[in-house]
Amino acid sequence: MTTTEWITDIALVLIVFRQLREGRLDLKTFLIPLGIVAFVAHTYLDSVPTAGNDLVLIGALMAVGAALGVAGGVYTRVRVAGEHLLIKAGAVSAILWVLGMGARMGFQFWVSHGGADNVARFSIAHHITSDQAWVAAFVLMALTEVVTRLATIFIRSRMVNGRQAQTTASTHSAPSLDRAA
């Protein structure tokens, strides 16, 4: 693994640790992780191979990424405090994030330190045609995990905001109804 790979992988892991402390949900919450995965995709995703079972591998790892992302978003607390939305990653969210990111780091480390022959044998046996299929699968898994986690948090924040608006509206409208009676 190159220094750049270590830095980007560690940066993605650290994102969730930053959210273990409750903080404001703002544009940075979305842009930083999206920027990191966009950089990774631009750097490592040259093509998406479609021969053999390459798309099956890619689809399977993207499904894992989506499951981890949605679950991570569900286990991130979203609440209203005054006029601001706050988020805090729970323990389950942090574990899922580290599991997904750590699995990719572990795979990269294992392949570069003796596991390449095993991956080659697996690839031949399962009709995976190239190294690029593995790269595409893991990059798209990370991208899918990040996007689905952020999308889940975004949807949940809109739901929390909507409930808050309804609560505020019913609180303010109730006294006016009482006066009319």
Side-chain angles (χ1 to χ4, degrees), residues 11 14 20 36 41 44-45 62 78 80 88 115 126 136 138 140 147 154 160 166 178:
L14 291 176
L20 285 173
I36 293 170
Y44 298 104
L45 195 59
M62 285 179 71
V78 180
V80 176
K88 180 180 180 183
H126 294 89
F138 278 110
L140 290 171
V147 169
F154 178 79
V160 167
Q166 285 177 340
D178 288 341

Side-chain angles (χ1 to χ4, degrees), residues 108-145:
Q108 288 173 323
F109 186 80
W110 175 63
V111 167
S112 62
H113 289 85
D117 290 340
N118 292 331
V119 173
R121 281 191 292 279
F122 180 90
S123 296
I124 290 167
H126 294 89
H127 308 288
I128 297 167
T129 62
S130 69
D131 293 347
Q132 185 58 33
W134 288 98
V135 171
F138 278 110
V139 168
L140 290 171
M141 177 186 173
L143 182 66
T144 303
E145 183 176 357

